[in-house]
Each structure stands twice: as structure tokens, then as C-alpha cells.
Amino acid sequence: MKQTNFHTHTSRCHHAFGNDEEFVRTAIQNDFEVLGFSDHACWKYDSDFVAHMHMKLDEFDDYKDSVLYLKDRYKKQIEIRFGLEAEYFPKYMDWLLDFCIENEIDYLIFGNHYYSTDEDHIYLGGAKGKYIKGYFDTCVEGMKTGMYAYLAHPELILRSTGGVITPEIEEGFHRICKTSQDYNVPLEFNVLGMQHNLRI
Ligand SMILES: [Zn+2]
Ligand SMILES: [Zn+2]
């Protein structure tokens, strides 16, 4: 069976381990045909905010050099793609689009972790009250931009309720599924998310 993986972080996001080449070698050993690197995108903030789970702007060149080097070095054994996992931060989307074009990013995956911008510190994996609806609203809005190849870990919101699917959350998932179908944006089946929910 053709194996692919498009959701791969590197140590630059501060929550992944190992060096970039080890990921490639492991993918080759396990017969993967395509390995997409998609570390958390850097942002150019209006404020002096420093993100703790994204690479910093000045770390991007090293990421790019590394992925493009590996893409070339292992091109006979595996297809490597150069991507990013990016949020939907409405006020910075023009910047992101320009940045992706300028750097010839192969693809973006949509990881909706923070509401509005992470400068506001509203983590959607712990969203309460109006931000539960806000999670689904922003998933749908982001998917409609056409910028993302797929929606990563749609189940992130379940961390807010300890895995319980309330009527509000069920309705939200229906909206995500409908948008996925209408706009042809696939949904990721995230094994880490599944493990997290099973532990609860
Ligand atoms: Zn991720
Ligand atoms: Zn993510």
C-alpha cells in the first residue's frame, strides 16, 4: 500500500524531537513514498509577541534549507514535500500567502490551535463558552479560503470537554464535514488526537 505522511514537525516547533534526516531515513525504511514536512509556520506579528509552539521567523531559513537539501539528497528514494502547518489568523493571511509564494511552499495544512491570533492566548484545545462555537466558525472560514490542503486534527476541540461530544460540538463537526465536502478540503484522521481521547 502506498504510504504517505504530510504532517511532520521538526524540533523547531519545540514539541517534536529528532533531526530532520532521521525522519527521512525512517520514512524510507518503512516504505513511504511521500514525506511532507509541515512544521508550525512562523508569523510576522504586529506586536513583539514570541510564540512558544511555532518556529520563529528567523528559524525559517534553516528549516527551508534543511528540507530542500533532504528533498534533493533523497530524491531517488522518496518524494519529499516542503510544507507548513498554519493557523487561520485573519489579519495575517495576506502576509502568509505572500510568504508562501515567495518561499515556494508546496502545501499548507490547517492547524486551528488559536483563536484570532496566538497573541490573544486563546488556545482552542481548551476552549470554553463562546470559543467552542468560535473554533468551528474559524475552521469553516479557514477551510473556505482555499489556502490549505486539508484540516489537521479536527478533534482538537474535544480536549476542552474531556472527549465528551456535546450537542454543540456535534453540530460543529457536521459543519466541518459539510464544508469539507462542499469545498473539497479533506479532514485528517490524527492518531495523536485519537490516542489523547482514548486516554481520557
Ligand atoms: Zn501539527
Ligand atoms: Zn497541530
Side-chain angles (χ1 to χ4, degrees):
M1 196 181 89
K2 182 173 174 169
Q3 296 234 68
T4 58
N5 179 50
F6 297 103
H7 195 153
T8 313
H9 295 328
T10 74
S11 55
R12 295 169 192 81
C13 69
H14 314 291
H15 59 270
F17 309 94
N19 74 49
D20 303 348
E21 192 155 8
E22 284 170 351
F23 289 122
V24 176
R25 292 222 177 116
T26 304
I28 293 168
Q29 280 160 15
N30 288 279
D31 291 327
F32 278 68
E33 290 184 33
V34 184
L35 175 66
F37 279 92
S38 52
D39 209 346
H40 285 274
C42 45
W43 295 91
K44 190 169 188 306
Y45 297 104
D46 291 341
S47 67
D48 56 6
F49 176 74
V50 179
H52 68 275
M53 64 166 274
H54 301 151
M55 75 177 86
K56 296 179 181 63
L57 202 50
D58 62 11
E59 290 174 309
F60 178 79
D61 285 345
D62 175 63
Y63 173 65
K64 180 178 179 178
D65 290 348
S66 174
V67 174
L68 295 185
Y69 163 77
L70 294 168
K71 183 175 183 157
D72 187 57
R73 168 143 199 219
Y74 290 95
K75 66 184 172 208
K76 294 207 174 81
Q77 290 143 282
I78 192 166
E79 181 186 339
I80 290 179
R81 294 201 196 157
F82 173 41
L84 288 169
E85 176 176 7
E87 310 277 343
Y88 172 61
F89 291 162
K91 72 173 180 172
Y92 296 133
M93 293 315 275
D94 287 344
W95 175 84
L96 181 66
L97 185 56
D98 288 343
F99 184 80
C100 291
I101 292 168
E102 192 182 309
N103 286 289
E104 300 183 319
I105 298 287
D106 290 330
Y107 71 102
L108 287 180
I109 63 175
F110 182 12
N112 193 15
H113 312 87
Y114 287 94
Y115 187 80
S116 181
T117 146
D118 52 354
E119 293 159 286
D120 296 337
H121 305 285
I122 301 161
Y123 178 60
L124 292 165
K128 302 277 182 235
K130 67 177 182 178
Y131 292 112
I132 291 182
K133 181 172 177 296
Y135 172 75
F136 292 108
D137 288 344
T138 48
C139 281
V140 166
E141 276 173 38
M143 289 164 81
K144 287 181 178 178
T145 62
M147 284 177 62
Y148 306 95
Y150 69 78
L151 176 65
H153 47 63
E155 81 300 325
L156 184 78
I157 193 72
L158 289 176
R159 295 187 184 198
S160 299
T161 61
V164 175
I165 300 176
T166 62
E168 183 183 27
I169 287 177
E170 184 172 344
E171 199 250 321
F173 282 138
H174 280 294
R175 289 173 61 206
I176 284 180
C177 291
K178 180 83 170 63
T179 310
S180 165
Q181 191 175 38
D182 291 349
Y183 289 80
N184 199 21
V185 180
L187 305 176
E188 179 182 75
F189 185 82
N190 189 290
V191 181
L192 186 65
M194 185 183 78
Q195 285 173 338
H196 184 88
N197 289 331
L198 286 176
R199 271 201 301 271
I200 288 166

Short mmCIF file of all heavy atoms in Angstrom, two decimals, residues 7-9 13 15 38-40 53 85 109 111 113 152-153 188 190 192, ligand 1:
data_model
loop_
_atom_site.label_atom_id
_atom_site.label_comp_id
_atom_site.label_asym_id
_atom_site.label_seq_id
_atom_site.Cartn_x
_atom_site.Cartn_y
_atom_site.Cartn_z
N HIS A 7 2.10 15.29 7.72
CA HIS A 7 2.06 16.04 8.98
C HIS A 7 3.31 15.67 9.79
O HIS A 7 3.29 14.76 10.60
CB HIS A 7 0.77 15.70 9.74
CG HIS A 7 0.47 16.66 10.85
ND1 HIS A 7 -0.82 16.89 11.29
CD2 HIS A 7 1.26 17.43 11.61
CE1 HIS A 7 -0.79 17.77 12.27
NE2 HIS A 7 0.46 18.12 12.49
N THR A 8 4.39 16.38 9.54
CA THR A 8 5.66 16.08 10.19
C THR A 8 6.24 17.37 10.76
O THR A 8 6.46 18.33 10.02
CB THR A 8 6.68 15.52 9.15
OG1 THR A 8 6.04 14.52 8.38
CG2 THR A 8 7.90 14.96 9.85
N HIS A 9 6.45 17.37 12.07
CA HIS A 9 7.09 18.53 12.70
C HIS A 9 8.57 18.27 12.89
O HIS A 9 9.01 17.13 12.86
CB HIS A 9 6.44 18.82 14.05
CG HIS A 9 5.01 19.23 13.95
ND1 HIS A 9 4.54 19.92 12.88
CD2 HIS A 9 3.95 19.03 14.78
CE1 HIS A 9 3.25 20.14 13.06
NE2 HIS A 9 2.86 19.60 14.18
N CYS A 13 9.65 23.43 16.37
CA CYS A 13 8.37 23.85 16.98
C CYS A 13 8.38 23.64 18.49
O CYS A 13 7.39 23.91 19.16
CB CYS A 13 7.20 23.11 16.34
SG CYS A 13 7.16 21.36 16.73
N HIS A 15 8.04 21.02 20.20
CA HIS A 15 7.32 19.86 20.75
C HIS A 15 7.49 18.64 19.85
O HIS A 15 6.65 17.76 19.81
CB HIS A 15 5.83 20.17 21.03
CG HIS A 15 5.05 20.62 19.83
ND1 HIS A 15 4.92 21.92 19.46
CD2 HIS A 15 4.35 19.93 18.92
CE1 HIS A 15 4.19 22.03 18.39
NE2 HIS A 15 3.82 20.82 18.03
N SER A 38 5.87 19.58 7.59
CA SER A 38 4.87 20.64 7.81
C SER A 38 5.02 21.17 9.24
O SER A 38 4.11 21.06 10.05
CB SER A 38 3.46 20.09 7.60
OG SER A 38 3.27 18.91 8.37
N ASP A 39 6.18 21.73 9.50
CA ASP A 39 6.37 22.30 10.84
C ASP A 39 5.50 23.54 10.99
O ASP A 39 5.03 24.12 10.01
CB ASP A 39 7.85 22.64 11.06
CG ASP A 39 8.21 22.55 12.53
OD1 ASP A 39 7.29 22.48 13.36
OD2 ASP A 39 9.40 22.53 12.84
N HIS A 40 5.28 23.93 12.23
CA HIS A 40 4.39 25.07 12.50
C HIS A 40 4.96 26.35 11.91
O HIS A 40 6.10 26.72 12.19
CB HIS A 40 4.21 25.24 14.01
CG HIS A 40 3.31 24.21 14.61
ND1 HIS A 40 1.95 24.35 14.64
CD2 HIS A 40 3.59 23.02 15.17
CE1 HIS A 40 1.42 23.29 15.21
NE2 HIS A 40 2.39 22.46 15.54
N MET A 53 5.05 27.75 20.37
CA MET A 53 4.87 26.47 19.66
C MET A 53 5.00 26.60 18.14
O MET A 53 4.60 25.70 17.41
CB MET A 53 3.56 25.79 20.05
CG MET A 53 2.31 26.54 19.68
SD MET A 53 0.81 25.50 19.79
CE MET A 53 0.83 24.72 18.17
N GLU A 85 2.45 23.76 8.67
CA GLU A 85 1.14 23.72 9.32
C GLU A 85 0.87 25.14 9.78
O GLU A 85 1.66 25.73 10.52
CB GLU A 85 1.15 22.77 10.53
CG GLU A 85 -0.18 22.80 11.29
CD GLU A 85 -0.24 21.79 12.45
OE1 GLU A 85 0.78 21.17 12.74
OE2 GLU A 85 -1.32 21.65 13.04
N ILE A 109 -0.98 22.82 5.68
CA ILE A 109 -2.09 22.14 6.36
C ILE A 109 -2.64 23.11 7.41
O ILE A 109 -1.92 23.97 7.91
CB ILE A 109 -1.70 20.77 6.98
CG1 ILE A 109 -0.64 20.91 8.07
CG2 ILE A 109 -1.24 19.82 5.88
CD1 ILE A 109 -0.35 19.57 8.77
N GLY A 111 -3.89 23.90 10.89
CA GLY A 111 -3.96 23.52 12.29
C GLY A 111 -4.56 24.70 13.05
O GLY A 111 -3.91 25.73 13.20
N HIS A 113 -5.26 26.06 16.16
CA HIS A 113 -4.99 25.93 17.60
C HIS A 113 -5.36 27.18 18.40
O HIS A 113 -5.61 27.08 19.58
CB HIS A 113 -3.50 25.68 17.86
CG HIS A 113 -2.89 24.61 17.03
ND1 HIS A 113 -2.36 24.83 15.79
CD2 HIS A 113 -2.75 23.29 17.26
CE1 HIS A 113 -1.90 23.71 15.29
NE2 HIS A 113 -2.13 22.75 16.16
N ALA A 152 -6.13 19.76 9.69
CA ALA A 152 -5.46 18.85 10.63
C ALA A 152 -6.30 18.69 11.90
O ALA A 152 -7.04 19.59 12.30
CB ALA A 152 -4.08 19.39 10.99
N HIS A 153 -6.15 17.54 12.52
CA HIS A 153 -6.78 17.22 13.82
C HIS A 153 -8.07 17.99 14.14
O HIS A 153 -8.09 18.79 15.10
CB HIS A 153 -5.78 17.38 14.97
CG HIS A 153 -4.98 18.65 14.97
ND1 HIS A 153 -5.55 19.89 15.09
CD2 HIS A 153 -3.66 18.87 14.85
CE1 HIS A 153 -4.61 20.81 15.08
NE2 HIS A 153 -3.45 20.21 14.91
N GLU A 188 -8.15 15.41 8.35
CA GLU A 188 -7.12 14.48 8.81
C GLU A 188 -7.68 13.55 9.88
O GLU A 188 -8.42 13.98 10.76
CB GLU A 188 -5.97 15.30 9.40
CG GLU A 188 -4.83 14.48 9.95
CD GLU A 188 -3.76 15.39 10.57
OE1 GLU A 188 -3.98 15.92 11.67
OE2 GLU A 188 -2.74 15.61 9.91
N ASN A 190 -6.23 12.04 12.85
CA ASN A 190 -5.00 12.29 13.60
C ASN A 190 -4.84 11.26 14.71
O ASN A 190 -5.62 11.22 15.66
CB ASN A 190 -5.04 13.72 14.16
CG ASN A 190 -3.71 14.13 14.76
OD1 ASN A 190 -3.32 13.63 15.80
ND2 ASN A 190 -3.02 15.03 14.09
N LEU A 192 -2.52 10.94 16.96
CA LEU A 192 -2.17 11.53 18.26
C LEU A 192 -3.45 12.00 18.98
O LEU A 192 -3.63 11.77 20.18
CB LEU A 192 -1.21 12.69 18.06
CG LEU A 192 -0.63 13.32 19.33
CD1 LEU A 192 0.25 12.33 20.07
CD2 LEU A 192 0.17 14.57 19.00
ZN ZN B 1 0.96 19.54 13.93
#
